[in-house]
Amino acid sequence: MDLQIVKKTQSLTTAEEMRNQTKLVMQPYANWEEYLTPAPLSIAILGELVFISSKTDFSINKNPPKVGYKFIKYPESFRACLMQVCNSGWCAFNEAHKNMDQIRLYTMAVPDYMKMAVKILFQGSDEVVEAHLPEQLENIRVVADDCLELAISTEKRFTDVINIIQELLEACVNAEHFHGEELEEIKLKLEESNLRKQSSEEAAKRSEKALKEMEKQLNEAHDSYSKAMDSLPSGWEMIGMDFVDGISEGITTLINGIASIGSKSETQNVPEKNVSKSSKETEADSIDEIPIYSKSAEILKCTEKIQEFVIENTINWKDLYDQKHKTTKTNFQADQFKRIGESLKEFPNCTAKEEAQNICTKGIEICEEQAKYTPEREWEEAKTNELIKLIRNLNESARSFDSKSKSVTNSPALTPKPPMMYEEESKLGKVKASQRASDNARFRIEQSRAQLDKTRESYEKSVENMEKNQKELTDILITMRRCEIKEIDFNTTIQMLAKGMDAMGRVKEQWEKMVRFFQMVSNIVKISLTRTLKNFVSTSEKTQALSYNSKLFSIDMLYYQAFQATNIANLVNMISTTYTEVSTKHIMDRVSSLGKLMVMDKEKPEFQFEVDQLRNACDGAQKAILVLVLKNKKEFEAKSFARQNKIDKELLAILPAAAPDEIKRIQAAVKSGFTEKDESAYA
């Protein structure tokens, strides 16, 4: 049964399955819809500004800044300033289309590099790996760095538009061309824009901190392996391999968690006026919590190994006690709890740290209590029952913490075993029967169900938010189009300008995400090329002959890092392909019309005709994108349900019936990890 569960889990977690799982789990956070939807509206607003600029002109240069204007070129002409905004916006959308198409083409090549890397890892000798693997990893890094430059370039274009609009609004405020409620409203918009800018800068700093933390944690993975194996008595190889499985899963959790932070919308980070300082400090701690949560798999593996010796209402002391070494086998878990506890000390105090430390402390206490056992000593039934209760509570706490980890980091509940480890365990005699295998598989299935439920709910909210934003931007256009040109006053123009700045800010966020995604890919590959590959080349064999040794562990780590980098690139390819397709069908023709409108003679009747054409085209594009959004939402829901049904049909179906109490305990542990309260700082 144990071997059957492992094989079925592995078939459900192939590279292709995991890429699709990543798309599903990340969809609410990396979805393109929220950023593409404002694009036609942004162009429509720019078109209205061109239309408005045909009115009487005036100067906004009454109270210029002492150091002069940084972005406005023609402060003596408000009309010229509006045209500068439109021209800058036209350039931004043009470059966005061109660069996104290049990103699409670049990222298409990454899977081929990954395939070659896998072939070298699994079929090549040590010399072949050392000689040829760096080239394939370097290819992935070059793609990431080139795409990073394209993303930064496009982000800068949208930043330029926002800066021009913001300075133009500030100039209008200083020129005192309007007053009263309109003045206060525009001041609030400017303040909000500054907060967005501040939030974006803080996000960039968080991203940089997260990447450094990722590098540190990935480098420490090999050290953790070495320390664990050094403390592993001979003949306990399976215990050690279970623990190493936890290290591998921790890497997936770490990278997914940092990717989730990088993809979070910056509008959600704009500080509220009445937010307390402590709330902001809690949010700032989220980067520190990701590496803490990444240790949940190691912690859970240790607790599962302790509970493995509990059979119904008794402890299997015969298997627990090692006659050869005259010690209990959970001494190894105690050492790992101590090592993890020590590693947690370097992190700032937070809820995740406190919870992890409590589990480690209780785990050590239980192991120390078990260590008092000797075959000659008779244990009282009451004491045994109390110990069993503590073990079960410990396992439930670890499951709850692991579920929180999956919720916060958007990591898959079902994860594959590393390829070299899976190969070793699949060899005859390596898979040791375990009564807990079914319960552990059931726990992963329940986790997966809760995660997909949460993802569907998050996506629903994301689409609702997108529709709300779209309505806000559409309202101002409707107001504008009801006015005759002679009725359009300066205040209405300024309000349009403020909405344009808001719309551009939302489109710009897409490119900020792109920058962080490619920074991650580049960073992962650099770590692979430096530390992990170096470990593979220089590692010395352990004195005690383990079939799963340091070299095989290094191969697994190289595979994991290359696969995670490819996973992110694959996610970006999905976004870039959709963006390019939608941009070609619904955006670029509108951008071209805007360019034509800007150079037309505004006195000729053809100008009004072109204005109407652009308005109708933008309205049509907006509706077409909304139709596509709703179509994708249905497809997403169908795919998420199909994924869960496949897991139920293929894995749940082979598990033996479980006791109702055990099912309730599993569901309670999972539910406690996927609550709104725990994810509020990250969603």
Side-chain angles (χ1 to χ4, degrees), residues 366-517:
I366 289 171
C367 291
E368 287 176 346
E369 189 64 28
Q370 288 177 325
K372 296 175 183 177
Y373 172 82
T374 60
E376 298 79 23
R377 181 183 174 189
E378 194 73 31
W379 276 57
E380 296 176 8
E381 185 179 345
K383 191 171 184 180
T384 301
N385 290 339
E386 181 63 26
L387 189 57
I388 290 172
K389 184 180 177 182
L390 290 172
I391 291 171
R392 283 179 174 154
N393 288 342
L394 177 72
N395 199 46
E396 285 169 20
S397 297
R399 282 176 168 178
S400 176
F401 183 65
D402 189 65
S403 296
K404 286 178 187 176
S405 172
K406 298 293 187 292
S407 176
V408 168
T409 64
N410 296 307
S411 298
L414 284 175
T415 55
K417 280 187 178 291
M420 293 292 103
M421 178 181 288
Y422 178 69
E423 187 178 319
E424 286 299 313
E425 287 194 353
S426 297
K427 290 176 182 175
L428 187 61
K430 289 292 181 183
V431 177
K432 186 177 180 181
S434 165
Q435 75 191 64
R436 307 306 305 178
S438 297
D439 284 341
N440 294 341
R442 206 178 300 278
F443 167 63
R444 293 301 183 183
I445 292 169
E446 196 61 40
Q447 262 193 342
S448 181
R449 195 189 315 281
Q451 185 172 53
L452 289 171
D453 286 345
K454 173 203 165 193
T455 304
R456 283 191 290 270
E457 186 180 332
S458 298
Y459 195 37
E460 182 77 34
K461 289 179 182 177
S462 176
V463 172
E464 285 176 7
N465 187 51
M466 177 272 299
E467 291 173 333
K468 180 185 173 186
N469 291 339
Q470 186 183 41
K471 185 178 183 301
E472 289 174 1
L473 294 172
T474 304
D475 286 345
I476 191 70
L477 280 176
I478 293 171
T479 303
M480 281 301 308
R481 290 168 183 176
R482 283 176 180 165
C483 298
E484 295 294 331
I485 191 163
K486 63 178 183 292
E487 296 175 347
I488 299 173
D489 59 8
F490 177 73
N491 286 345
T492 311
T493 305
I494 293 300
Q495 289 171 18
M496 282 287 290
L497 210 52
K499 285 291 181 185
M501 180 173 66
D502 188 35
M504 286 291 177
R506 297 177 196 193
V507 176
K508 171 179 167 280
E509 283 182 16
Q510 169 70 16
W511 293 94
E512 290 177 341
K513 285 187 179 185
M514 285 290 178
V515 168
R516 294 188 193 108
F517 277 141

Side-chain angles (χ1 to χ4, degrees), residues 306 333-339 341 357-370 394:
I306 294 172
Q333 273 67 48
D335 290 341
Q336 302 321 307
F337 280 131
K338 289 173 185 175
R339 181 187 57 77
Q357 284 181 324
N358 285 340
I359 296 171
C360 288
T361 301
K362 289 175 183 175
I364 293 167
E365 290 172 357
I366 289 171
C367 291
E368 287 176 346
E369 189 64 28
Q370 288 177 325
L394 177 72

Side-chain angles (χ1 to χ4, degrees), residues 223-236:
D223 294 337
S224 298
Y225 168 82
S226 298
K227 289 176 182 176
M229 293 305 100
D230 285 342
S231 64
L232 183 67
S234 60
W236 289 15

Side-chain angles (χ1 to χ4, degrees), residues 222-275:
H222 201 280
D223 294 337
S224 298
Y225 168 82
S226 298
K227 289 176 182 176
M229 293 305 100
D230 285 342
S231 64
L232 183 67
S234 60
W236 289 15
E237 188 173 340
M238 285 306 301
I239 291 177
M241 288 177 78
D242 280 341
F243 175 73
V244 175
D245 196 12
I247 295 178
S248 304
E249 190 178 330
I251 290 174
T252 301
T253 304
L254 177 72
I255 294 174
N256 277 288
I258 291 173
S260 295
I261 288 179
S263 66
K264 186 171 65 171
S265 172
E266 289 316 315
T267 54
Q268 294 165 347
N269 292 331
V270 176
E272 299 283 344
K273 283 190 172 183
N274 298 322
V275 172

